[in-house]
Amino acid sequence: MKADVVLGLQWGDEGKGKIVDVLTPAYRVIARFQGGPNAGHSLEFEDKKFVLHTIPSGIFHETVTNIIGNGVVIDPVILMAEINKLNALGVDVSKRLLISKKAHLILPTHRIIDAAAEAAKGKTKIGSTLKGIGPTYMDKTGRNGLRVGDILSSAFMERYTALKNKHIEFLKQFDYAYEVEEYEKQWMEGIENLRSFSFVESEYAINKYFSEGHKILAEGAQGSLLDVDFGSYPYVTSSSTICAGACTGLGIAPGKIGVVMGIFKAYCTRVGSGPFPTELDNEVGERIRQAGREFGATTGRARRTGWLDLVALKYAVMISGVTQLIMTKADVLDDFDEIQVAVAYTSNGEEIQHLPFEINDPLEPVYKTFKGWKRPISGIKNEAELPFELMNYVRFIEKETGVPVKIISVGPDRAQTIVR
Ligand code: GDP
Ligand code: IMO
Ligand code: MG
């Protein structure tokens, strides 16, 4: 058996939560492999809406096991709040969730360092979600981190205090006032509560599921253009958001990767700072923001909006070897007379068709214009009823990327999904 992978191909918020929830019935295991509570994955069904931050989006399906893999970073306060909310809805999370002992812990002081470092950056700030993601991955690669499995050690408190003190020393370089005690209290409660969950060596757990013939779906967080290596550095997150991240973040051998599903919105959004060549900082962008309800699921910040960027999409497809595309939020463009797609950039007066190293320098998009369909599509149930103009747009994307669009999502609800 192989593991299929779902990835965001843009700057996050492509609709991964919704799509993973839709795909879950075909799988035995849903596993998160990177990121942490910087993610906000929304699910809608039966007139209810849920936002998940650390827990995989398969949690609402009773017979599915959800795994938080070694590549994920966990804030016990946020995780427990999420679990309590789900329990209140009647979802018995402890029966459906396994947590990797190797997943790293976000300490209260990691959050403070995140905030202090961002404040010190001033105008060049990343626009981080301030959940402590960057500092936690820094301690992971710097070999200082604390992991979930360490909770079980008698030396845990000693190691916690040593790392916290290191952080307090580090924070002295910033002119930043902070208070840690209140959050630390909640954090310790979170750690205590976590003890009742099943900690596993998720690489063994996953490979056992494989050997028993079960199907696994790896759920990405963030998007390819926020990848620490291939994203618009330094305006990125601190983990591997691409397909390879599923291997290192779960212990899946590269040869065991099956279908690689890449999700993209019919347009583009970005939250936080950094380059966005097709950004529409105007009334058209505002129309997309309102129609698409483009406000962050984690921070509530208004998302920046713009046209689809095919140069960037092709790059993301290349890096992850995407074999199937999923287009979301086509319905948001229902009212537009014309829809534009960037097919190249002009850089220093020269036309280029690749994402350059100098992505932070001005890039002028070269657009191809498509006729809009000008009718509501969110009630459509099958492909044959989709407007010709939309299918024209879809076929162009398939031709340019060389990858079939297998799913078209026409609304936030589970049911508003057309599988081709
Ligand atoms: P994720 O981080 O990739 O899981 O995406 P988010 O949940 O942060 O943001 C996607 C938003 O779009 C959520 O509010 C979803 O409910 C919503 N959504 C997902 N698919 C569609 C769609 O096809 N149409 C519309 N209108 N909304 C969608
Ligand atoms: P999901 O999984 C959109 C962005 C932040 C910031 C940058 C770094 O919901 O798609 P970080 O907190 O990681 O230090 O922030 O990355 N970012 C996201 N943008 N969706 C996300 O997750 C994101 N997670 C981080 O806005 O620009
Ligand atoms: Mg999101």
Side-chain angles (χ1 to χ4, degrees), residues 249-288:
L250 287 169
I252 297 173
K256 289 247 168 76
I257 297 289
V259 181
V260 182
M261 290 170 260
I263 309 187
F264 67 100
K265 284 183 194 176
Y267 49 95
C268 262
T269 63
R270 172 162 207 168
V271 58
S273 332
F276 183 175
T278 60
E279 181 166 16
L280 295 164
D281 191 9
N282 57 23
E283 180 233 334
V284 181
E286 187 55 34
R287 269 180 74 195
I288 295 179

Side-chain angles (χ1 to χ4, degrees), residues 8 12-19 39-44 49 51 57 219-220 222 263 265 267 291-298 303 327-332 408-413 416:
D13 304 327
E14 296 88 351
K16 298 174 291 292
K18 171 197 161 158
I19 296 297
H41 294 181
S42 320
L43 286 70
E44 285 190 39
K49 179 171 175 164
V51 181
S57 300
E219 173 181 3
Q222 289 80 53
I263 309 187
K265 284 183 194 176
Y267 49 95
R293 291 186 283 152
E294 295 295 355
F295 299 90
T298 296
R303 295 175 183 148
M327 182 162 100
T328 58
K329 306 194 87 159
D331 54 297
V332 172
I408 299 174
S409 170
V410 295
D413 195 274
Q416 292 170 304

Side-chain angles (χ1 to χ4, degrees), residues 11-14 16 38-41 114 126-131 133-134 220-223 226 235-238 270-273 297-298 301:
W11 281 286
D13 304 327
E14 296 88 351
K16 298 174 291 292
N38 49 348
H41 294 181
D114 211 359
I126 309 288
S128 163
T129 60
L130 303 181
K131 303 293 177 195
I133 305 295
Q222 289 80 53
L226 289 171
Y235 300 100
V236 294
T237 191
S238 299
R270 172 162 207 168
V271 58
S273 332
T298 296
R301 290 180 290 179

Side-chain angles (χ1 to χ4, degrees), residues 309-311 341-346 351-354 364-367:
D309 184 338
L310 260 183
V311 183
V341 185
V343 290
Y345 307 127
T346 310
E351 190 168 307
I352 58 168
Q353 299 207 333
H354 68 282
E364 201 52 49
V366 177
Y367 285 116

